[in-house]
Amino acid sequence: MNDPQAPLDAFAALLTPEGRALLDEVRDTDPADELAVATRLRRDHPAGLVSAALGQARLRQRAAAKLGAEDARRMYFTPNGVEQSTRASVAAHRAARLAELGVTSLADLCCGIGGDAIALARAGIRVLAVDRDPVTAAAARANAEALGLSELIEVREADVTDVDTSPYDAVFVDPARRGGRGRIFDPEAYSPPLSWAVGTALKAPHAALKIAPGVPHEAVPPQAEAEWISDGGDVKEAVLWFGTEPGLVRATLLPGPHSLRGRGLANPPVRPPGRYLYEPDGAVIRAHLVAEVAADLDGGLLDETIAYVTADELRPTPYATAYEITDHLPFNVKKLKALLREREVGALTVKKRGSAVEPEELRRKVLPKPHGRNAATVFLTRVAGAPAMLLGHPTGPHTE
């Protein structure tokens, strides 16, 4: 029979002087060397502690990309904590927004290993961090201590539905969006459900609820502002804000930040391909703000169902990547192959929207033996409903 206390005991052992010394020793262990390292260390240390230290070293290495190497090497993680923790840049952006709203104290519900609590504390906000899992709460507490933030972060092991949030200026809720079968798409299947989180948010002067970026727009409550956030071009999350601007939709791009506000524009017109094609950032697409980008570029859509914007002029925008289009032709593999040979293309990037063609398969067919000196990008898409190919190249960095 499994001892429910065992995981907590194993974690607590890492916080002892022996555990900390082991963590320092195995910090840079290559996964390929783990067996040999474990065999050597078990001569002088308990086998369970050695395994826990090596496991923690692996988690720290994984966490470095999200949280930065400097923090990750000092922090403590659980496998779920690494997977579900907020990227440091995104947490810092949210903390800065809350600080700008005048928030000085906040209840962080479902705090996980404390990534958001750390960013909030660094922004000068006093945090109550709550999680019901004993090991996760212990990790959050250890992280606050490791980063010198214990005076601003109180960690409580509890069910978030039992916590009185009334003493705090704001509430942040990050419901669990993964279950035993993987990612959860129904907001009411979150733990706790989105409806509970919204109810809690409405009781606070300010609140932020972290949700999956694929949430249907119709699930956004009318009292909320909805913000979709991308970092380095990758969409990371959506946030429902309460106590800001109800009904506002925005897309925020990091680094920057660059924030595009919805203006309630009608769908852009469909028009023939111009000299430039703009590929909107994923956060812009998720936020349904392609019309705002098209209006700012004096552009239109290649097809009414596809988020590619075309325009005749090159204009600076952080919200889309610009490509200069050199050729527009109906979809035809032989013609594309001949065109690439003519242009001496040896490196081809294949992008697609509204096409069933597999990029790798097409690349093999049109460039079986790449040897040209030029690079190009081909867009497989539809133009006014018809399958088409547009060949071009990026214009390079071109933002405001």
Side-chain angles (χ1 to χ4, degrees):
M1 187 173 179
N2 291 333
D3 178 3
Q5 184 69 18
L8 188 58
D9 290 342
F11 182 81
L14 291 173
L15 305 179
T16 64
E18 183 182 12
R20 293 176 193 269
L22 261 181
L23 283 172
D24 288 340
E25 187 167 350
V26 302
R27 175 183 296 156
D28 300 316
T29 300
D30 188 300
D33 300 329
E34 273 192 10
L35 183 57
V37 170
T39 301
R40 174 174 58 80
L41 292 175
R42 282 171 182 157
R43 296 176 191 143
D44 302 309
H45 303 280
L49 182 58
V50 171
S51 295
L54 286 167
Q56 192 63 223
R58 277 197 306 273
L59 294 175
R60 286 176 168 182
Q61 290 167 6
R62 283 174 53 198
K66 266 190 176 183
L67 300 175
E70 183 62 27
D71 279 352
R73 72 179 182 85
R74 293 187 286 165
M75 292 174 67
Y76 295 85
F77 300 97
T78 65
N80 283 342
V82 172
E83 185 71 31
Q84 299 177 17
S85 63
T86 303
R87 183 173 288 268
S89 55
V90 177
H93 162 71
R94 180 165 39 248
R97 280 203 67 182
L98 286 160
E100 287 167 8
L101 290 169
V103 171
T104 60
S105 64
L106 176 144
D108 178 0
L109 308 180
C110 310
C111 68
I113 53 90
D116 278 281
I118 289 163
L120 291 160
R122 284 173 169 168
I125 297 171
R126 182 170 54 85
V127 183
L128 170 67
V130 184
D131 203 285
R132 69 181 179 185
D133 178 68
V135 178
T136 303
R141 192 173 293 111
N143 289 335
E145 180 184 333
L147 299 179
L149 298 168
S150 294
E151 290 188 4
L152 282 169
I153 300 174
E154 173 195 348
V155 179
R156 186 181 301 173
E157 181 192 328
D159 189 315
V160 296
T161 60
D162 295 332
V163 175
D164 177 13
T165 60
S166 60
Y168 300 90
D169 297 340
V171 171
F172 172 60
V173 189
D174 181 5
R177 294 179 302 283
R178 287 182 178 272
R181 297 183 179 180
R183 202 179 297 273
I184 296 170
F185 296 98
D186 177 8
E188 283 307 295
Y190 291 173
S191 179
L194 182 60
S195 57
W196 178 88
V198 170
T200 301
L202 291 172
K203 298 173 187 174
H206 294 97
L209 311 184
K210 178 178 170 180
I211 56 175
V215 68
H217 279 234
E218 54 269 24
V220 175
Q223 306 96 322
E225 168 198 332
E227 178 184 32
W228 276 262
I229 302 173
S230 69
D231 186 21
D234 294 329
V235 182
K236 295 301 177 185
E237 63 183 60
V239 184
L240 301 183
W241 290 90
F242 296 80
T244 54
E245 298 180 61
L248 175 68
V249 174
R250 76 165 79 209
T252 296
L253 281 57
L254 302 175
H258 301 284
S259 198
L260 179 66
R261 296 166 60 93
R263 307 196 291 271
L265 302 183
N267 291 336
V270 175
R271 52 153 289 178
R275 182 176 176 183
Y276 297 97
L277 182 148
Y278 292 85
E279 182 181 29
D281 183 270
V284 170
I285 296 172
R286 294 279 197 177
H288 297 181
L289 297 181
V290 174
E292 279 73 3
V293 170
D296 293 344
L297 296 172
D298 193 22
L301 298 180
L302 293 172
D303 184 274
E304 64 180 359
T305 64
I306 295 174
Y308 281 143
V309 174
T310 185
D312 297 317
E313 295 181 13
L314 182 61
R315 294 188 181 181
T317 177
Y319 303 113
T321 303
Y323 296 80
E324 184 171 8
I325 299 303
T326 56
D327 300 273
H328 163 218
L329 55 160
F331 180 79
N332 185 297
V333 174
K334 288 185 179 179
K335 287 184 178 179
L336 177 61
K337 186 175 181 179
L339 184 61
L340 295 176
R341 187 166 56 245
E342 177 187 324
R343 300 286 164 81
E344 299 184 49
V345 171
L348 182 68
T349 299
V350 181
K351 290 178 169 285
K352 68 166 193 167
R353 282 199 183 131
S355 171
V357 176
E358 288 299 326
E360 284 304 320
E361 184 181 343
L362 178 72
R363 192 182 287 106
R364 283 196 299 270
K365 287 181 178 178
V366 298
L367 284 180
K369 297 179 181 178
H371 51 72
R373 57 189 177 89
N374 297 320
T377 300
V378 63
F379 293 87
L380 308 177
T381 186
R382 293 194 301 271
V383 172
M389 303 183 297
L390 283 77
L391 193 67
H393 54 82
T395 61
H398 201 67
T399 62
E400 291 178 321

